[in-house]
Amino acid sequence: MQITEPLESGKYYHIYNRGINSENIFKENRNHEYFLILYNKHIDPIAETFAWCLLKNHFHLLVRIKTLEEILCTKNEDKIKKNIPPHQSFGNLFNAYTKAINKGYNRHGALFERPFKRKLIDNESYLRSVIKYIHYNPVNHGFCEHPIEYPWSSYITCVSEKPTKLKREKVISLFKNIETLKAFHNQGENFDSIENSLNL
C-alpha cells in the first residue's frame, strides 16, 4: 500500500492526478465546469488556490492549506465539518465528481488513480516555477502555443480583472507585478526537473 504524507495546515502543495489507466476524466466542457463547481464547494473552504489546470486525462492544482483559525473565520463556517482533514475534502471532491461521471456516461468503478498525488512546495522560487509549470501544461501537451489560449487553467484569470476566488494578488506579488508575471510566462523553460519529481 502506498503511503502518502498528510496535508498540513499553512503549507503549499502541488496536487495532481490522472484518470485510472490514463482514461479521460474531462470528456466535454460541461465536465470541466462541474468539476470547478465541486471544487468550490469542497476545497475553497479549506484551501487557498494559487493555480490550476484541467486537461483531458489529468489535472494540476496549487494550493495552500488553510489553518484552523482561517477556516473558522470563513463565511462558510456553518457548512464546514471542522473535524474533516484536508485530504478527506479532496477525497470528497473526487468521489462526488466520479459519481457524476459514472452516472452521466454509464460507467462504473474508480475514475482517478489512488491515492491522489501531492508535492510539498517549500520555497518561493519553487512556488513560482510550479505556477508556470501548471499554466504551461496545455502547451507542453500540444493543446495550444501559449497559456493565454487555453480556457481551463488559471492563467487567464491571473492576467484579467474579473472577480475570482483565486489568490490572484498573491500570485502577482510572487512575480512582483503583472508585467513581470506575463514576461515570466512568455519565456521558454525546460520543465524536466519538475516532471521528473512528480513521477507521473
Side-chain angles (χ1 to χ4, degrees), residues 130-145:
V130 173
I131 289 172
K132 182 175 178 180
Y133 169 77
I134 290 174
H135 289 158
Y136 258 82
N137 226 243
V139 178
N140 295 340
H141 288 279
F143 291 109
C144 56
E145 295 184 357

Side-chain angles (χ1 to χ4, degrees), residues 39-60:
Y39 183 89
N40 184 59
K41 175 183 176 181
H42 292 283
I43 307 305
D44 187 67
I46 60 97
E48 296 178 329
T49 303
F50 284 73
W52 59 269
C53 184
L54 311 180
L55 290 101
K56 285 185 176 181
N57 67 355
H58 68 286
F59 65 83
H60 293 273

